């Protein structure tokens, strides 16, 4: 069976999944409906780079406060598609081509990697089932669907590639390649560091149990440290050296180099007892942590530790992807943890029934999946990676269940058992069917209130784009709609939901919940020409709930202020006021 090609199954599964996704997102593609504010800002960043903005400058200058910590690595495939297709298709169609092609390429990469990993662990038949299981994961499809061009899809691909390499032949080459994948992962976003640390820790424990794995471990830690250094120089430049907690900078590079050096020294004890080897690895980790505490103690709390209480309460604590699973809507929580639990069960059973090198490979996958699953419980955005790591175990479990189902004599019972097996490996879809797609309670209540009053309400960010018909100016708008406004109109805006600009973020939030006089002072300070709000969306509802007599709540009720002049927007639910004083 080793000679049987897997690519036909991968390409067939990808084509079917891509077709379904294209049908489901066709309207969004045509209307340029972004799934998330970050996707709109990512497209604008690529557009500005192709328009002449420096490679080293990833700031968004259409925002008054537009400092970003993003990486150019994610911009490269988008820019390549736009640059190749623009002469033939024009700018608008070329951008839509990139918005479709790049996410679907990440989907193909994920399917190829989970199929290859599953084949290595469980054979060709389970690998084919892995191609079926992966597209049944809602968290995976959410990050790999058309229009989703932010960095999360590439992080899934790189984490999977590192795991695939880690389960390969324990050699310097596989370790170094895995380390380079992890270096790209943390360069794209430092939020990938926990996954990178977990995979390096698994490689280290594998060496402690089997010192013959030394070359793979050293290749991995030095590939990570060296790769991060080279990518830092290539994408940010040597001048990008100030200590920062949200991106790879000199302080983080020193931490990685310390960990690599400490691990190298620890592996010199390959003939020592197991406990000594484990303790030496612990000392290496402690040395790296000590360096971080010594040179950048503020980074221990993460990049959001410096947020002021107001911004944290109104913005950060309402960004669902950064919250733990127990603070999510029940359906999202079920979609996040369902497949990893199935995958863990299947992986453990497969481990118990395997032997030799395959048993060791399953152990690595179990450890990686357990780490990613625990991380996803704390931070929901890690759920997609956990779902990807769960596919081999879920595919093994599905194959075992289908094998037993086929042996059932009764056609009816056999059909029911087969259906049950498919439902068991698609808990996310079951959760959607039973609980529905989650929708913010505040938005649901707002839309009901607006319907009762006979007033239109916004359903997504794009409803605010009609402000593009107004003369160009600075718009004072909520954080969530500002990226879409600057990406799709000629206007500027004050700030988006990106933590480096916490002072401007605070001012936007403070203005909408403050009294009209304080709001007037803040709006004037930013030189805004307009105030614009899309009623019914989650952010304005948070402002209204926080301050029932605040600036936005009073505007929503129809109060007039001498320094604002209402601007009619026929046919649009967005509410706009011109600043006249």
């Amino acid at each position: 069976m080793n000679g049987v090609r897997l690519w036909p199954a991968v390409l067939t599964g990808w084509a079917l999944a891509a077709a379904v996704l294209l049908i489901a997102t066709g309207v969004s593609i045509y209307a340029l409906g972004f799934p998330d504010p970050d996707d709109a800002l990512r497209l604008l960043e690529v557009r500005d780079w192709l328009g002449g903005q420096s490679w080293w400058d990833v700031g968004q200058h259409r925002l008054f406060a537009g400092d970003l910590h993003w990486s150019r690595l994610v911009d490269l495939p988008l820019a390549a598609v736009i640059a190749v297709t623009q002469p033939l298709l024009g700018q608008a169609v070329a951008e839509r081509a990139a918005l479709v092609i790049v996410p679907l390429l990440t989907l193909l990469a994920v399917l190829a990697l989970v199929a290859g990993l599953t084949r290595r662990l469980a054979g060709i038949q389970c690998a084919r089932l892995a191609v079926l299981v992966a597209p049944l994961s809602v968290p995976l499809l959410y990050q790999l669907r058309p229009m989703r061009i932010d960095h999360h899809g590439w992080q899934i691909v790189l984490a999977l590639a590192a795991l695939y390499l880690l389960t390969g032949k324990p050699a310097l080459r596989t370790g170094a390649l895995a380390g380079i994948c992890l270096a790209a992962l943390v360069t794209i976003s430092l939020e990938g560091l926990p996954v990178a640390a977990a995979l390096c820790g698994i490689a280290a424990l594998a060496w402690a149990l089997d010192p013959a794995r030394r070359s793979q471990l050293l290749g991995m830690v030095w590939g990570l440290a060296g790769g991060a250094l080279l990518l830092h120089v290539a994408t940010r430049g040597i001048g990008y050296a100030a200590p920062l907690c949200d991106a790879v900078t000199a302080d983080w590079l020193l931490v990685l180099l310390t960990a690599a050096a400490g691990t190298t020294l620890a592996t010199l004890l390959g003939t020592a007892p197991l406990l000594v080897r484990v303790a030496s690895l612990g000392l290496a980790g402690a040395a790296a942590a000590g360096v971080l505490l010594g040179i950048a103690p503020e980074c221990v709390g993460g990049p959001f530790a410096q947020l002021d209480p107001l911004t944290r309460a109104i913005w950060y604590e309402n960004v669902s992807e950064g919250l733990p699973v127990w603070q999510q809507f029940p359906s999202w929580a079920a979609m996040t943890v369902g497949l990893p639990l199935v995958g863990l069960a299947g992986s453990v059973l497969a481990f118990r029934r395997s032997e030799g090198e395959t048993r060791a490979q399953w152990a690595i996958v179990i450890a990686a999946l357990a780490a990613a699953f625990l991380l996803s419980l704390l931070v929901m955005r890690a759920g997609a990676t956990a779902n990807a790591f769960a596919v081999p175990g879920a595919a093994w479990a599905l194959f075992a269940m289908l094998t037993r189902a086929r042996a059932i004599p009764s056609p009816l019972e056999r059909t029911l058992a087969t259906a049950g097996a498919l439902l068991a490996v698609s808990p996310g879809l079951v959760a959607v069917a039973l609980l529905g797609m989650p929708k913010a309670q505040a938005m649901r209540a707002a839309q009901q209130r607006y319907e009762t009053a006979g007033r239109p309400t916004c359903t997504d960010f794009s409803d605010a784009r009609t402000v593009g018909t107004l003369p160009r100016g600075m718009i004072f708008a909520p954080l969530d709609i500002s990226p879409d406004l600057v990406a799709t109109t000629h206007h500027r805006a004050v700030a988006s939901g990106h933590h480096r600009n916490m002072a401007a973020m605070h001012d936007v939030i403070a203005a909408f919940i403050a009294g009209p006089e304080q709001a007037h002072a803040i709006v004037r300070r930013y030189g805004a020409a307009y105030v614009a709000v899309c009623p019914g969306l989650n952010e304005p509802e948070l402002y209204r709930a926080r301050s029932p007599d605040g600036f936005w709540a009073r505007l929503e009720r129809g109060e007039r202020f001498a320094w604002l002049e209402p601007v009619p927007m026929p046919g649009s639910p967005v509410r706009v006021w011109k600043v006249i004083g």
Side-chain angles (χ1 to χ4, degrees), residues 145-503:
R145 71 193 194 278
M147 305 296 295
R148 185 63 169 147
I149 57 171
D150 198 25
H151 60 274
H152 300 288
W154 290 113
Q155 288 186 300
I156 299 168
V157 170
L158 291 165
L160 264 176
L163 179 58
Y164 176 80
L165 289 160
L166 186 57
T167 60
K169 183 179 179 181
L172 180 65
R173 177 177 173 273
T174 58
L177 290 174
I180 292 170
C181 289
L182 296 180
L185 173 66
V186 299
T187 298
I188 287 174
S189 176
L190 203 60
E191 68 191 29
L193 186 60
V195 171
L199 291 178
C200 287
I202 292 167
L205 288 176
W207 164 80
L209 294 170
D210 180 8
R213 290 180 171 270
R214 180 174 186 264
S215 60
Q216 186 183 51
L217 172 59
L218 294 184
M220 194 169 186
V221 294
W222 285 107
L224 170 56
L229 176 60
L230 292 176
L231 287 171
H232 174 74
V233 173
T235 61
R236 302 190 188 276
I238 57 176
Y240 196 88
L244 296 169
C245 299
D246 59 5
V248 174
T249 48
D251 48 346
W252 286 109
L253 290 172
L254 185 56
V255 170
L256 294 177
L257 290 168
T258 301
T263 301
T264 302
L265 292 175
T267 60
L268 297 177
L269 302 174
T271 58
L274 175 61
L275 288 179
V276 174
R277 295 198 294 271
V278 172
S280 68
L281 293 172
L283 289 175
V291 169
L292 179 63
L293 285 170
I295 63 176
E298 67 278 6
C299 293
V300 175
F304 303 106
Q306 307 302 316
L307 290 176
D308 64 272
L310 178 65
T311 307
R312 173 175 286 275
I314 299 294
W315 174 70
Y316 179 67
E317 293 180 2
N318 287 284
V319 178
S320 61
E321 70 173 28
L323 299 178
V325 71
W326 54 86
Q327 293 184 25
Q328 306 295 335
F329 292 97
S331 53
W332 266 123
M335 287 186 280
T336 300
V337 307
L339 186 62
L341 289 174
V342 175
L344 274 172
S347 297
V348 170
L349 289 173
F351 169 81
R352 293 177 61 183
R353 299 183 186 185
S354 59
E355 56 186 21
E357 182 60 24
T358 302
R359 189 178 179 88
Q361 291 167 336
W362 274 115
I364 290 172
V365 169
I366 290 170
L369 173 54
F373 174 65
L374 291 175
L375 182 61
S376 73
L377 297 180
L378 301 175
V379 183
M380 193 189 70
R381 71 168 65 94
T385 298
N387 273 249
F389 286 0
V391 171
W396 185 94
L398 177 59
F399 179 74
M401 288 186 286
L402 291 178
T403 300
R404 297 188 66 175
R406 283 194 291 266
I408 298 175
S410 169
L412 177 59
E413 293 179 2
R414 184 166 61 250
T415 300
L416 292 174
T418 300
L422 292 171
L423 290 175
V425 296
S426 52
L429 296 179
V430 174
V432 170
L434 295 178
L435 303 173
M437 287 296 291
K439 187 174 185 180
Q441 186 65 36
M443 288 182 61
R444 187 180 296 111
Q447 289 171 2
Q448 291 175 349
R449 189 174 71 253
Y450 274 77
E451 288 175 5
T452 301
R455 291 188 292 165
T457 179
C458 294
T459 56
D460 59 46
F461 308 131
S462 64
D463 288 331
R465 294 177 188 173
T466 51
V467 300
T469 61
L470 301 175
R472 180 180 302 179
M474 173 74 74
I475 296 184
F476 197 97
L479 303 172
D480 282 351
I481 67 171
S482 291
D484 194 282
L485 289 178
V486 296
T488 61
T489 75
H490 54 248
H491 294 294
R492 298 182 66 211
V494 175
S496 59
H498 294 93
H499 62 271
R500 281 198 182 179
N501 308 299
M502 59 185 73

Side-chain angles (χ1 to χ4, degrees), residues 501-527:
N501 308 299
M502 59 185 73
M505 292 173 62
H506 174 274
D507 286 347
V508 170
I509 296 170
F512 282 115
I513 66 173
E517 296 79 10
Q518 299 98 311
H520 186 197
I522 295 172
V523 171
R524 287 192 63 185
R525 187 190 315 155
Y526 285 96

Side-chain angles (χ1 to χ4, degrees), residues 34-235:
F34 299 102
D36 187 89
D38 284 355
D39 301 305
L41 213 55
R42 176 69 66 181
L43 177 61
L44 185 56
E45 177 174 297
V46 174
R47 187 188 296 162
D48 289 345
W49 174 39
L50 292 175
Q53 187 166 318
S54 170
W55 165 266
W56 310 107
D57 179 10
V58 296
Q60 183 39 249
H61 303 294
R62 297 269 301 280
L63 292 169
F64 185 94
D67 187 19
L68 297 175
H69 63 286
W70 290 359
S71 170
R72 282 286 186 212
L73 288 182
V74 182
D75 298 342
L76 287 172
L78 294 164
V81 174
I82 294 172
V84 169
T85 58
Q86 192 272 337
L88 297 173
L89 304 176
Q91 183 71 19
V93 178
E95 289 181 352
R96 282 170 173 77
L99 291 166
V100 171
I101 292 171
V102 173
L104 291 183
L105 285 179
T106 61
L107 173 63
L108 176 59
V110 166
L111 292 182
L113 285 166
V114 295
L117 179 60
T118 306
R119 180 174 185 167
R120 174 176 289 168
L121 296 165
I124 187 70
Q125 291 177 306
C126 287
R128 288 171 175 156
L129 291 176
V131 178
L132 168 66
V133 171
L136 297 177
S137 165
V138 178
L140 274 179
L141 288 189
Y142 183 84
Q143 301 296 354
L144 303 173
R145 71 193 194 278
M147 305 296 295
R148 185 63 169 147
I149 57 171
D150 198 25
H151 60 274
H152 300 288
W154 290 113
Q155 288 186 300
I156 299 168
V157 170
L158 291 165
L160 264 176
L163 179 58
Y164 176 80
L165 289 160
L166 186 57
T167 60
K169 183 179 179 181
L172 180 65
R173 177 177 173 273
T174 58
L177 290 174
I180 292 170
C181 289
L182 296 180
L185 173 66
V186 299
T187 298
I188 287 174
S189 176
L190 203 60
E191 68 191 29
L193 186 60
V195 171
L199 291 178
C200 287
I202 292 167
L205 288 176
W207 164 80
L209 294 170
D210 180 8
R213 290 180 171 270
R214 180 174 186 264
S215 60
Q216 186 183 51
L217 172 59
L218 294 184
M220 194 169 186
V221 294
W222 285 107
L224 170 56
L229 176 60
L230 292 176
L231 287 171
H232 174 74
V233 173
T235 61

